Amino acid sequence: MNTRILKLKKDLVEIRPEICTERLIILTQAYQRYNAYPNIMKRAMALRDILNQMSIYIEDGQLIAGNQASKPRSAPLFPEYSWDWIYQEIDEFEHRASDVFFVSDTNKEIMRRELKYWEGKTLKDRAVVMQSDSVMQDKKVGVLGWEGNVTAGEGHIILDFEKIIRVGFGGIVQEAREHLNALSKTDPDDLRKEAFYKAVITAYEACSEFVGRYVCLAEKLAEDASEDRRVELLQIAENCRAVAVKPPKTFREAVQLVYFVQLISQIEANGHSMSMGRMDQYLMPFYEQDMKKDVLSKEEAKEWIECFYLKLFSIIKLRSWSHTRFVAGYPTYQNIVIGGKNTEGKSCINEMSYILLEALGDIRLSEPNFYIRCHENMPQKFVDLMVKVIKLGFGMPALVNDEVIIDSLMDRGVSKEDAFNYSTMGCLEVQVPGKWGFRANGKTKVNMLKIMELALNGGVDPVSKEKTMKDMKDLTEYKSFEEIMEAYNKAILHYMELQVSADNINDLAMEELVPDAFSAGLVEDCLGRGKTVKEGGAVYDMISGALVGGPNVGNSLYAIKKAVFDEKLITLEELKDALDHDFEGVLRERVRLLLQNKIEKYGNDVQEADEMIKEIYRVYIENIFRYKNTRYGRGPIGGNFMPSTVTISSNVPDGGRVGATPDGRKAFQPTAEGVSPMHGTEQHGPTCVINSVAKLNTRQMTGGQLLNMRFNPATVQSKEDEAKFYALIETFFQKKGWHVQFNMISTEVLRDAQKHPEEYKDLVVRVAGYSALFSALDRITQDDIISRMEYEL
């Protein structure tokens, strides 16, 4: 990492995140000015106004232009999604336990003035009044986490970056104009499409104007710059001029255009997980061409990629505190994936794969979220580099398995060619770049442990006292374990229906109120069909939420089966008493220790215990696919729901809604994350963990399957250690594991970082399907990470 990159990184890490009100002001004025227009046109014209009026700057030393807000690491506001929580939390943002944002007094005044306009006009307002009584009742209980969809946007998509670098902004305008000119003024269906095409043209012409502003800015800054910086600024101006309308011709131009597309997609809409797909594949032709022309060196290409990564880190997002607790650490989940194999089974790893990975190891920040598609034919040189970067200890790259994911996608109707071109998105979810709708996995969380608690308490929530289900018994009334399993499965089906209902109601509101013309221009086949993504424009459209706390549910039900029914170590009455009193007292603590230590747990390669985890997911997996989303029958392949265990950091707040459980977990403690074993229950090392995880219904979990592991870095030092470490990964993937990621950092370092955060400003850790600055996390989430088992080889 050279001096330029070191300074840019230091400057970014030391910035205190703020709130920027520019988008709020411009958007509010635009919605008032264009109120008579169809929503798709109104939003496109609002985007045009934002891009034309927002502040722009080019950081000193930076080689890439483009900014999201008036300052780096400042969050713009998206009041069209929701405004009430922003207004309520204005004075609290800078006092949060994590994800702190500073707000100037001037901006507080602006927010209080401008936000009032949005009362009764937002996406959240619409969704809430449409939700069922049962869904709204659950807000008091805590099984479903669906509000993130409407308060923070949906995102979770990969635009067609291959297309934009092939045709440029002007190419999208031309294609939309051709479709517009071909419409019949007497055909009602064509008349419905007219506003869509006009909106796409408006949005993409605005992109060209936005890029043009940086041409002028760079040239102006060059006038007073030092000679070296003057040359760089004029290069920036030339790069921007080249891609303002037309496609890029050089590597530098291609990287600049990719960043503008990534940036604008996040200025347009509030969703995170706007991902960039297989960058090594679509940048390689430009790199190869420029290398042959001797106008680019490997070192220069790497420097540009590192500048690109730092620009991604500069993008930030504001969420409500209730949502932040589920996604702590300022994540934006801007995902890049490299590697993979083609349909002939040959490795796709190229020289750009190495450059992108080396740059990641230099930067070591929480964005981009970086993945490698692993398979059996990876070059040893690349494997060595991959392990070396993992050893650096910042939780990336994370790894996914071609051997199971490609088959899983084809099982769902994805063509072979598209399945082999899959990319990771967001945390670790997958989709086909440029062909999939929003939210292949996303915001909605299903608290499985809370569902079990309700099923064991007569359908009544012990905390809120709300009765959510009929025909459920109290724990002491069940006569057999089979009866308990039947009740649990019935409860899962009940909440599955509520999840689908809540998601579809949200989607109906999003389709009408927040259509996205810019994103639609880069998702096949929106332009061909004359539809936005939400109307069914994508080739594929399958969505999922995330199942939270599954390992705890399996361990708990297995404990009931073994301790009560099989071995009769305790009675249901004794268990009930211990749970109701959070294991307080000597006798109840004995029950807890029995449950925790005498009953086998998932993660130790014990067949019966592992089978129970598989069983508790079975009913959800077998039934969720029959539910349709709002795009079903409107064009896309799929149009349904999928299962997933991508929990983000929701294991902390979801656990905070659940009392003591039969696995020996104390009340309101975090649950396990993803399909990782519950902290402290893995007794026989990492090999047993991967054996247990590999027994699950992984191929059916098309929405993603998350495994977190933490290793003591002292155990992966020598070449022999590295070989053993990769052998563990290789074995896991041979057993059809979906995903694995590593924190390679010691407990001592994490404890010291808690005590002295000022000395660890750039310490990055893996939280769940993403990494975050450790100092940005609240104490509970930090403790949750520290409590994860520290494996040794």
Side-chain angles (χ1 to χ4, degrees):
M1 188 163 46
N2 63 29
T3 304
R4 177 202 309 277
I5 303 302
L6 278 169
K7 183 180 185 306
L8 288 171
K9 177 182 175 180
K10 182 176 182 294
D11 290 346
L12 273 174
V13 169
E14 291 184 352
I15 288 174
R16 65 177 192 178
E18 296 185 28
I19 290 175
C20 172
T21 57
E22 285 188 350
R23 188 185 184 280
L24 168 64
I25 295 169
I26 300 168
L27 184 86
T28 302
Q29 293 172 350
Y31 264 57
Q32 293 169 333
R33 185 180 305 120
Y34 309 127
N35 189 52
Y37 286 86
N39 281 334
I40 183 72
M41 290 183 64
K42 177 168 64 178
R43 284 185 59 72
M45 291 188 287
L47 176 63
R48 178 191 63 198
D49 289 359
I50 293 166
L51 296 180
N52 283 337
Q53 298 174 36
M54 63 179 281
S55 300
I56 64 170
Y57 55 84
I58 300 172
E59 302 95 322
D60 186 32
Q62 179 56 259
L63 299 175
I64 295 173
N67 54 278
Q68 175 202 26
S70 55
K71 297 178 183 178
R73 303 283 286 171
S74 286
L77 299 176
F78 295 79
E80 69 269 40
Y81 290 86
S82 56
W83 74 280
D84 53 341
W85 62 269
I86 305 174
Y87 195 89
Q88 293 161 9
E89 297 180 29
I90 285 175
D91 293 320
E92 299 172 13
F93 291 122
E94 58 197 88
H95 302 295
R96 289 174 162 187
S98 70
D99 295 55
V100 174
F101 287 88
F102 292 87
V103 193
S104 68
D105 290 341
T106 299
N107 277 335
K108 286 181 179 180
E109 290 179 15
I110 292 171
M111 291 160 69
R112 289 190 171 101
R113 182 184 71 236
E114 299 291 333
L115 287 170
K116 278 290 188 179
Y117 166 80
W118 294 95
E119 186 171 2
K121 301 181 179 72
T122 68
L123 173 64
K124 180 184 175 184
D125 292 325
R126 174 67 61 83
V128 168
V129 298
M130 293 170 65
Q131 289 293 353
S132 69
D133 292 342
S134 295
V135 168
M136 296 307 294
Q137 180 194 30
D138 179 65
K139 283 171 61 72
K140 303 174 185 177
V141 177
V143 172
L144 301 177
W146 55 268
E147 281 193 276
N149 289 351
V150 292
T151 62
E154 54 188 348
H156 296 82
I157 197 168
I158 307 167
L159 301 182
D160 197 339
F161 286 92
E162 291 189 32
K163 180 175 182 177
I164 197 66
I165 62 175
R166 187 174 68 250
V167 305
F169 291 132
I172 304 297
V173 171
Q174 181 180 345
E175 185 178 350
R177 200 177 298 282
E178 288 172 357
H179 284 295
L180 177 65
N181 292 337
L183 296 179
S184 168
K185 296 293 184 180
T186 60
D187 186 328
D189 286 337
D190 278 5
L191 290 175
R192 293 187 184 97
K193 297 175 183 178
E194 184 173 351
F196 168 75
Y197 289 122
K198 286 182 177 178
V200 172
I201 292 167
T202 298
Y204 279 82
E205 286 181 341
C207 294
S208 296
E209 295 167 3
F210 182 57
V211 177
R213 294 181 66 197
Y214 288 95
V215 176
C216 298
L217 176 61
E219 289 178 338
K220 181 174 177 59
L221 291 173
E223 294 175 1
D224 299 319
S226 65
E227 182 58 29
D228 289 346
R229 184 57 180 161
R230 178 177 174 276
V231 171
E232 292 172 354
L233 288 165
L234 292 178
Q235 176 73 72
I236 291 172
E238 183 54 38
N239 293 337
C240 292
R241 182 181 291 108
V243 301
V245 177
K246 297 179 180 180
K249 294 182 179 179
T250 70
F251 176 80
R252 294 179 178 90
E253 292 170 6
V255 174
Q256 178 66 77
L257 180 59
V258 168
Y259 184 69
F260 273 129
V261 171
Q262 178 69 3
L263 180 69
I264 294 167
S265 72
Q266 294 175 91
I267 293 173
E268 176 188 46
N270 198 19
H272 54 240
S273 299
M274 306 299 290
S275 299
M276 290 151 281
R278 306 180 71 191
M279 284 192 72
D280 57 343
Q281 305 304 302
Y282 59 73
L283 287 182
M284 183 60 188
F286 294 96
Y287 173 78
E288 197 170 36
Q289 163 200 280
D290 286 3
M291 290 288 284
K292 286 180 180 177
K293 291 181 179 179
D294 201 25
V295 296
L296 181 74
S297 67
K298 177 182 176 181
E299 291 71 25
E300 289 171 328
K302 183 179 171 184
E303 183 179 49
W304 272 75
I305 292 299
E306 290 177 354
C307 283
F308 177 79
Y309 288 173
L310 291 170
K311 293 295 288 184
L312 294 178
F313 181 76
S314 73
I315 295 171
I316 203 166
K317 179 181 174 71
L318 179 71
R319 302 172 177 89
S320 66
W321 177 242
S322 62
H323 187 206
T324 295
R325 293 168 61 237
F326 289 81
V327 290
Y330 302 109
T332 49
Y333 314 96
Q334 299 173 88
N335 204 300
I336 293 171
V337 67
I338 61 174
K341 62 182 178 180
N342 61 23
T343 52
E344 286 77 44
K346 295 180 180 178
S347 174
C348 295
I349 291 166
N350 57 37
E351 195 165 348
M352 273 309 303
S353 310
Y354 287 89
I355 291 172
L356 290 163
L357 183 54
E358 288 173 9
L360 179 78
D362 283 350
I363 296 299
R364 298 185 216 174
L365 288 175
S366 54
E367 299 293 336
N369 200 16
F370 200 96
Y371 273 85
I372 296 175
R373 282 180 47 177
C374 295
H375 55 91
E376 68 278 10
N377 293 325
M378 294 195 298
Q380 186 60 48
K381 179 183 175 184
F382 183 79
V383 170
D384 291 343
L385 176 62
M386 179 181 82
V387 172
K388 176 184 176 183
V389 177
I390 290 173
K391 283 175 57 179
L392 293 173
F394 62 105
M396 290 188 273
L399 314 176
V400 289
N401 184 10
D402 275 9
E403 308 306 322
V404 65
I405 293 172
I406 290 169
D407 287 340
S408 183
L409 288 169
M410 289 195 291
D411 289 346
R412 306 304 172 205
V414 177
S415 72
K416 180 178 180 180
E417 181 182 4
D418 284 343
F420 273 81
N421 191 42
Y422 84 86
S423 178
T424 52
M425 174 276 298
C427 283
L428 59 92
E429 310 91 279
V430 299
Q431 59 178 239
V432 181
K435 292 187 177 183
W436 207 289
F438 292 110
R439 221 166 72 248
N441 185 293
K443 305 286 197 333
T444 300
K445 307 295 181 290
V446 180
N447 190 339
M448 299 182 77
L449 197 58
K450 190 69 181 181
I451 293 175
M452 183 198 74
E453 183 180 49
L454 292 166
L456 299 181
N457 283 275
V460 176
D461 175 25
V463 179
S464 67
K465 308 304 179 185
E466 294 282 326
K467 186 173 180 64
T468 66
M469 291 177 289
K470 300 177 180 178
D471 303 323
M472 290 285 163
K473 297 180 180 179
D474 185 80
L475 177 59
T476 59
E477 298 173 351
Y478 289 106
K479 303 302 181 185
S480 67
F481 180 71
E482 290 70 25
E483 197 178 0
I484 289 175
M485 281 300 300
E486 183 180 348
Y488 167 75
N489 287 333
K490 182 179 178 181
I492 285 286
L493 292 173
H494 170 78
Y495 275 100
M496 183 188 301
E497 289 188 358
L498 290 188
Q499 174 207 342
V500 170
S501 171
D503 270 7
N504 280 339
I505 286 171
N506 288 344
D507 278 351
L508 289 172
M510 284 189 276
E511 177 181 339
E512 180 184 353
L513 297 184
V514 287
D516 298 322
F518 178 76
S519 290
L522 286 173
V523 175
E524 187 181 343
D525 189 27
C526 290
L527 290 176
R529 295 174 185 165
K531 294 181 174 182
T532 65
V533 177
K534 269 283 171 256
E535 293 173 313
V539 174
Y540 304 102
D541 199 315
M542 297 170 238
I543 65 175
S544 65
L547 302 173
V548 183
N552 301 87
V553 174
N555 285 342
S556 292
L557 293 177
Y558 185 67
I560 294 174
K561 180 179 184 297
K562 296 291 287 185
V564 177
F565 292 101
D566 290 356
E567 300 179 12
K568 296 180 172 46
L569 301 175
I570 56 173
T571 65
L572 285 177
E573 287 75 14
E574 289 172 324
L575 176 59
K576 170 73 171 173
D577 175 71
L579 296 177
D580 287 349
H581 294 87
D582 195 20
F583 302 110
E584 291 180 358
V586 175
L587 295 179
R588 296 177 187 128
E589 175 63 9
R590 286 178 183 172
V591 171
R592 189 187 71 82
L593 292 174
L594 182 152
L595 296 168
Q596 181 173 281
N597 300 325
K598 298 295 184 181
I599 308 300
E600 296 92 342
K601 300 290 191 296
Y602 163 73
N604 296 291
D605 199 14
V606 176
Q607 189 65 27
E608 192 176 6
D610 295 341
E611 284 293 327
M612 184 62 74
I613 307 294
K614 184 175 181 179
E615 177 63 20
I616 63 98
Y617 287 123
R618 180 184 59 80
V619 169
Y620 188 95
I621 289 172
E622 290 178 354
N623 287 275
I624 192 64
F625 285 105
R626 65 187 174 90
Y627 289 101
K628 315 304 182 192
N629 65 36
T630 62
R631 279 80 67 201
Y632 180 77
R634 301 168 74 180
I637 293 169
N640 58 356
F641 286 76
M642 306 182 297
S644 165
T645 60
V646 184
T647 56
I648 325 295
S649 60
S650 58
N651 67 301
V652 176
D654 271 3
R657 306 296 293 267
V658 185
T661 45
D663 56 347
R665 172 189 153 277
K666 295 273 284 183
F668 313 123
Q669 295 301 302
T671 73
E673 18 82 42
V675 292
S676 308
M678 182 60 181
H679 312 333
T681 61
E682 323 97 304
Q683 301 298 320
H684 302 293
T687 301
C688 286
V689 171
I690 67 169
N691 286 341
S692 290
V693 175
K695 296 172 189 175
L696 303 180
N697 330 60
T698 300
R699 182 164 164 174
Q700 295 173 286
M701 201 67 75
T702 313
Q705 185 97 298
L706 181 147
L707 173 61
N708 250 326
M709 302 185 81
R710 182 159 76 93
F711 278 81
N712 188 322
T715 69
V716 190
Q717 293 293 318
S718 67
K719 282 288 184 183
E720 183 180 4
D721 294 336
E722 292 177 358
K724 289 179 182 178
F725 179 66
Y726 181 65
L728 181 77
I729 296 169
E730 195 170 34
T731 301
F732 179 55
F733 283 161
Q734 287 172 353
K735 291 174 175 287
K736 306 299 183 183
W738 179 286
H739 154 277
V740 65
Q741 59 196 22
F742 304 95
N743 266 320
M744 196 76 71
I745 189 166
S746 70
T747 299
E748 290 74 22
V749 168
L750 293 175
R751 289 291 186 200
D752 195 52
Q754 274 191 324
K755 295 177 182 177
H756 308 288
E758 71 283 353
E759 298 177 15
Y760 295 87
K761 289 182 179 180
D762 62 351
L763 176 64
V764 173
V765 296
R766 199 70 177 173
V767 181
Y770 67 98
S771 291
L773 293 170
F774 188 71
S775 61
L777 301 172
D778 62 84
R779 182 67 180 234
I780 296 174
T781 305
Q782 289 179 343
D783 287 342
D784 182 59
I785 292 168
I786 293 170
S787 69
R788 295 173 187 172
M789 180 66 75
E790 187 177 47
Y791 300 113
E792 296 184 358
L793 288 174

